[in-house]
Amino acid sequence: MKKSISKKSSKQANQDKENLAYRLQLDQVIANFRSKYFRESDSANPFLSLTQNGHSAFSELLKVLDLQGDEYSITRTQAILVIANVFDQHGVESETLDKLVEYSKKLPPFGNEKFAVLRAIGKSRQPYLIAGFTSLLDKPIPEVINSALIVLGYAKYIPALPAIKWVITQENMLTVPAAIWAIGEIGDNTGLDILIEAYKNNKYIHDVILAIGKIGYRHGLAYLCMTLRDSGDSALRYHAVLGIFNTVVKNHEQKFDSLFPFLENSLQDIFPPIRAVSLTIIGLLGKTLTKAQIDEVFEIQSKIKDEDLTDMAKFFMRRN
């Protein structure tokens, strides 16, 4: 009897050791996978750490804007993006916002630096300032309209939605993509109707799928799933599966059993990130993941038996 227990304990210990080794292997594989396919675009910004300093970071960041010359454009842009982050996470300081508004008037209508300033103004979410940009949407100059759309989108200014929808109805290819983006960025489900109409008319599909996914409203799932299943464009399928992920996260209290056929089919997608995100969603929905599924998605060779590795799928898309 003791030998039997001892033998069983030894076998279990070996199994636990193999399982741990597999999890460690999977941990490294997923880390490498994320590094290869999901690089963080902000990681190279030298000012990013100042975000945690809140308003006390503004004095240092504003000094950067005094650097003259095109050679400092990237540096100035990076500083402005961090100002936007501070606005978003710690609130607005009126003096800094006023300086940004004045600075924006000196910039040409195009370019990354102009975009960064418009983003920061939008992130301020100050109604007295943001509301005025709505009136610019009926101007005959596309550059003016697009600048206003950037601000309104980042401001998540819901009252602007009727005017933004109007921009789409004008069918100007120079402004419609920015209008669709703004609707997605605002994220209110009342903007979904015009996106679905554009989808059905096969117009601006890439922009539309991104916006539907960004809104994350359940009624948009059918269009995301059809795209994931039917599109021959891997970038479009990837946008669709990210939209499904966002919708599931935003509506986590609901059931999504109808998604499983689409997601399980995408575990064989030729584009690795699509397989990985599909696997993640399956795990987040609480369905047991087998080792075979995970091995296939991440191309791992191992010998341990199947077990529920749902937690590892959750780790894959875990965000700090």
Side-chain angles (χ1 to χ4, degrees), residues 140-156:
I141 306 171
E143 294 84 4
V144 172
I145 295 173
N146 286 334
S147 293
L149 288 167
I150 291 169
V151 173
L152 294 168
Y154 279 117
K156 299 186 180 298

Side-chain angles (χ1 to χ4, degrees), residues 157-316:
Y157 193 63
I158 295 176
L161 278 174
I164 296 174
K165 289 181 179 182
W166 178 84
V167 173
I168 295 177
T169 65
Q170 300 309 293
E171 298 188 353
N172 185 334
M173 63 183 296
L174 298 178
T175 56
V176 170
I180 292 172
W181 169 86
I183 289 176
E185 197 68 23
I186 290 171
D188 189 79
N189 58 39
T190 57
L192 194 60
D193 56 348
I194 199 164
L195 299 179
I196 291 174
E197 182 181 345
Y199 181 96
K200 290 179 177 178
N201 292 326
N202 200 32
K203 293 181 177 180
Y204 305 98
I205 294 299
H206 277 270
D207 302 292
V208 166
I209 287 299
L210 279 168
I212 291 175
K214 189 80 173 180
I215 291 173
Y217 189 50
R218 190 182 181 109
H219 289 178
L221 274 176
Y223 305 95
L224 297 174
C225 287
M226 285 189 290
T227 301
L228 179 61
R229 181 191 63 194
D230 300 334
S231 177
D233 185 332
S234 60
L236 193 52
R237 295 196 309 277
Y238 179 55
H239 293 156
V241 78
L242 285 179
I244 293 171
F245 173 82
N246 187 52
T247 304
V248 168
V249 170
K250 283 191 172 183
N251 302 274
H252 58 86
E253 73 285 353
Q254 300 180 24
K255 291 187 176 181
F256 293 94
D257 292 346
S258 61
L259 293 180
F260 288 124
F262 297 95
L263 297 170
E264 289 171 350
N265 180 64
S266 292
L267 294 180
Q268 283 78 46
D269 197 285
I270 61 172
F271 190 46
I274 295 174
R275 301 199 304 263
V277 178
S278 297
L279 184 77
T280 301
I281 300 169
I282 292 172
L284 289 176
L285 291 175
K287 190 169 184 177
T288 296
L289 302 174
T290 67
K291 185 193 72 65
Q293 287 176 314
I294 296 175
D295 285 356
E296 184 174 6
V297 168
F298 295 108
E299 300 176 351
I300 299 174
Q301 299 295 324
S302 61
K303 298 180 180 179
I304 73 165
K305 297 178 181 180
D306 285 348
E307 63 174 331
D308 183 356
L309 293 171
T310 303
D311 288 343
M312 295 309 298
K314 290 179 180 178
F315 165 83
F316 171 71

Side-chain angles (χ1 to χ4, degrees), residues 75-94:
T75 303
R76 294 193 299 266
T77 299
Q78 291 172 327
I80 295 166
L81 288 173
V82 173
I83 290 175
N85 288 348
V86 175
F87 282 172
D88 196 28
Q89 297 179 28
H90 301 280
V92 179
E93 182 186 71
S94 58

